[in-house]
Amino acid sequence: MSTESLNHRSYWADSAPATGTTTFPALREDSADVVVVGGGIVGLLTAWELTRRGADVVLVEAGRIASAVSGRTSAKVTALHGFTYSSLAERHDEATAELYARSQVDALRHLAGVVDTLDADVGWERVPAYSYVESARELPRLQAEERAAAAAGLPVRAVTEVDLPFPVAGALRLDDQYQFHPRRFLLALAADLARRGVRIYENSRVVKLHDGAVGRVATADGATVTAPDVVVATHYPVFDRSGAFARLSVRREVVLAGSLPVDRAPGGMYLTFEDRTRSMRCAPLPDPGRRLLVVTGEKFTPGEEDAAGAFHRLTDWARVRFPGVRLSHRWATQDAFSTDGLPLVGRLNPATRHVLLATGFAGWGMSGGVMAARLLTDYLTGRPRPPWSRIYDPRRLPGFSEAGELLGHQAFVAKHFVGDRLHSDPPLAELAPGEGAVVEYEGERHAAYREPDGRVRLLSARCTHLGCLVRFDDAEREWACPCHGSRFAVDGSVLHGPATRPLEAREAPAEPFEGPGGGP
């Protein structure tokens, strides 16, 4: 079975549809104590925390809640984050690594309490987490992580025996971690919020922010919400005044899901950074004789690499390493990485006291999202903040170790802002049905997509965020901006921020495409 024949929707979306469970209207006008922008784990959980402390909350989501990044995750909830602790100790210091570990452990404990309070079937399971290497050459790196994680307070232990169907050179194990069905959890959270009086609005893309004594956000349709405080929980900030775009890079990662016989299914959550990252875990299925296998990997920059190739490489790997797996779903997810390796959670910038944001979780959005929701709630309710709040403050100054990352990120953006305009483009006539490319047409560069019937759809090739040239993602048939990760449908509509406006339509040639045989 090829990857094209697999279901291209997230397994979590297919197995927990929102229809009949949660349906929320589009925003008209409203006001509240706090408006939360974004309906993923950070936004929903922040609204939940604030409501339990007596705040009147409005939540506004551009599409459907729990359908963007939080609905496409692997849903590992763990404090063992690959080789994060040795990296933090090296780039910052051991105290920073310890605060990071304490914040993640606190998030796990708190999320377990939230799940217990909701009393919903969210596939919650307690399992061990592993970071492993297959090559003996990588053992020194694994040993450095063991020392750093232990110094940070995590009870990790080195092991060589794991329940994977292939050998490893070594692994770190951390017990009593969690995994769950992310959409079931988030939909249960949204239903509980609605019962508690939170007004949730869907299909309401926020495009403007007024930051004054009273904040105000406005949607593309002109609807507004006013509130003294605003939380921007949109994965990648959709407002540039934070300056976060200068400190964030974006990576995309492909995901496969399928079933295994229960006796062949690993019982833990696994991660290695070898082979362009490989991450896997299993989950319950309606058939008690089988388990769902979820495999992720092949990190790449949106619009920079061949997504179809990433799907094929991961598929081949999964079928070799897990013989007998019946793959059923394929999709992709997206993560934001800060230049100093730490999320940004807190005040938007030094000049504001009323707008907060959370971003930069580097693939650990489940535990990081819980941490962020708790920290944002402490900011907004005036409660004493935990000691780790300082390492996440967006207003922190870049350190010496961050300088190279900052310069590299800005050079990468400059390459796509300027350098892409110097490349030659394919002729429009060479574009086959179902294909897209930036092309030269009537002396200008356009994002061109040829429909299956041969008609051409032309759009501006400039991303509406900061003007970089978009590229066509052949695997997902979407336009992607390599600079900051915005994604657009073939009709130009926004699928993923930070862009909030669609690609502008251009007049296209009316004649249909004539292929080699003379017909469409």
Side-chain angles (χ1 to χ4, degrees):
M1 180 185 293
S2 71
T3 60
E4 284 299 318
S5 62
L6 301 179
N7 188 322
H8 287 206
R9 281 167 51 86
S10 158
Y11 170 83
W12 312 123
D14 264 5
S15 56
T19 303
T21 305
T22 55
T23 301
F24 300 105
L27 176 67
R28 293 293 179 257
E29 303 292 330
D30 210 332
S31 61
D33 296 330
V34 182
V35 55
V36 177
V37 183
I41 189 168
V42 175
L44 288 166
L45 200 50
T46 300
W48 195 79
E49 298 284 347
L50 288 168
T51 301
R52 286 170 62 85
R53 297 189 191 180
D56 180 37
V57 181
V58 163
L59 185 145
V60 185
E61 162 59 32
R64 299 296 305 276
I65 59 168
S67 294
V69 173
S70 292
R72 304 169 75 86
T73 173
S74 64
K76 294 178 174 180
V77 189
T78 176
L80 187 63
H81 294 177
F83 296 104
T84 292
Y85 295 99
S86 53
S87 175
L88 290 176
E90 181 179 350
R91 298 178 65 180
H92 300 276
D93 49 42
E94 288 188 351
T96 298
E98 180 184 4
L99 287 173
Y100 183 90
R102 288 172 60 188
S103 73
Q104 301 303 304
V105 171
D106 176 81
L108 265 65
R109 291 172 179 165
H110 186 71
L111 184 58
V114 175
V115 170
D116 186 60
T117 300
L118 292 176
D119 192 27
D121 178 11
V122 299
W124 188 254
E125 295 182 321
R126 185 191 300 263
V127 296
Y130 298 85
S131 296
Y132 74 91
V133 296
E134 294 185 58
S135 170
R137 295 191 303 271
E138 295 292 338
L139 283 174
R141 187 182 182 193
L142 188 72
Q143 292 159 354
E145 182 63 18
E146 179 189 5
R147 292 190 295 269
L154 294 182
V156 296
R157 54 191 175 97
V159 298
T160 55
E161 296 296 323
V162 297
D163 65 350
L164 291 171
F166 51 88
V168 302
L172 295 184
R173 173 171 172 153
L174 182 60
D175 289 322
D176 299 325
Q177 307 300 284
Y178 303 106
Q179 58 187 22
F180 69 146
H181 192 302
R183 264 180 68 80
R184 286 182 187 164
F185 169 72
L186 294 173
L187 293 176
L189 199 60
D192 191 66
L193 285 171
R195 287 192 294 270
R196 294 174 181 271
V198 173
R199 279 91 68 208
I200 298 175
Y201 298 102
E202 295 182 316
N203 300 311
S204 304
R205 186 175 297 279
V206 170
V207 298
K208 292 182 181 179
L209 166 67
H210 171 75
D211 177 19
V214 176
R216 184 173 68 253
V217 299
T219 69
D221 295 330
T224 62
V225 181
T226 56
D229 293 297
V230 179
V231 172
V232 180
T234 55
H235 185 254
Y236 195 114
V238 294
F239 303 111
D240 292 330
R241 68 189 67 177
S242 68
F245 68 91
R247 304 178 71 172
L248 292 174
S249 60
V250 176
R251 296 290 182 273
R252 200 145 178 89
E253 194 169 17
V254 299
V255 189
L256 298 171
S259 71
L260 279 173
V262 69
D263 60 350
R264 298 185 194 174
M269 303 181 292
Y270 289 89
L271 173 70
T272 181
F273 287 130
E274 294 174 307
D275 293 326
R276 294 166 58 101
T277 305
R278 295 291 185 262
S279 171
M280 66 223 73
R281 64 98 158 184
C282 289
L285 285 172
D287 180 354
R290 302 188 71 83
R291 294 271 288 176
L292 179 78
L293 175 69
V294 181
V295 180
T296 69
E298 294 290 330
K299 290 185 185 297
F300 61 95
T301 301
E304 181 83 352
E305 298 183 40
D306 177 18
F311 276 113
H312 289 306
R313 287 189 296 271
L314 190 64
T315 300
D316 290 344
W317 184 91
R319 286 175 172 155
V320 169
R321 297 306 178 92
F322 294 92
V325 64
R326 299 177 188 167
L327 294 176
S328 58
H329 291 73
R330 51 156 273 191
W331 68 94
T333 188
Q334 195 156 299
D335 295 306
F337 295 74
S338 74
T339 48
D340 69 355
L342 291 164
L344 309 173
V345 184
R347 303 290 181 193
L348 185 73
N349 60 45
T352 181
R353 293 182 53 83
H354 300 286
V355 182
L356 297 94
L357 85 163
T359 187
F361 299 113
W364 301 105
M366 295 295 98
S367 59
V370 178
M371 174 276 295
R374 284 169 61 72
L375 185 51
L376 293 172
T377 301
D378 288 341
Y379 271 103
L380 291 168
T381 58
R383 292 168 60 97
R385 296 194 292 275
W388 51 79
S389 64
R390 68 174 179 82
I391 70 172
Y392 298 123
D393 193 332
R395 300 168 296 182
R396 63 185 183 266
L397 296 176
F400 177 78
S401 64
E402 192 179 354
E405 292 280 349
L406 280 167
L407 290 173
H409 177 55
Q410 294 311 307
F412 174 83
V413 171
K415 180 187 78 170
H416 286 289
F417 188 79
V418 178
D420 281 355
R421 288 158 172 77
L422 306 178
H423 293 169
S424 59
D425 299 316
L428 180 60
E430 291 184 4
L431 206 60
E435 290 184 347
V438 174
V439 302
E440 181 85 15
Y441 176 66
E442 293 188 345
E444 296 185 16
R445 306 182 84 177
H446 299 80
Y449 174 76
R450 196 176 291 279
E451 299 283 2
D453 64 2
R455 290 179 298 113
V456 171
R457 188 188 294 269
L458 286 187
L459 305 166
S460 167
R462 287 179 176 266
C463 176
T464 56
H465 176 224
L466 291 178
C468 291
L469 289 185
V470 298
R471 293 187 177 182
F472 192 68
D473 182 333
D474 57 342
E476 299 182 87
R477 295 194 178 175
E478 299 171 357
W479 295 103
C481 175
C483 291
H484 305 106
S486 297
R487 299 183 72 81
F488 305 86
V490 293
D491 66 358
S493 58
V494 179
L495 298 174
H496 192 287
T500 58
R501 293 177 291 110
L503 298 177
E504 295 181 11
R506 298 286 190 261
E507 185 174 353
E511 67 275 7
F513 171 70
E514 291 190 0

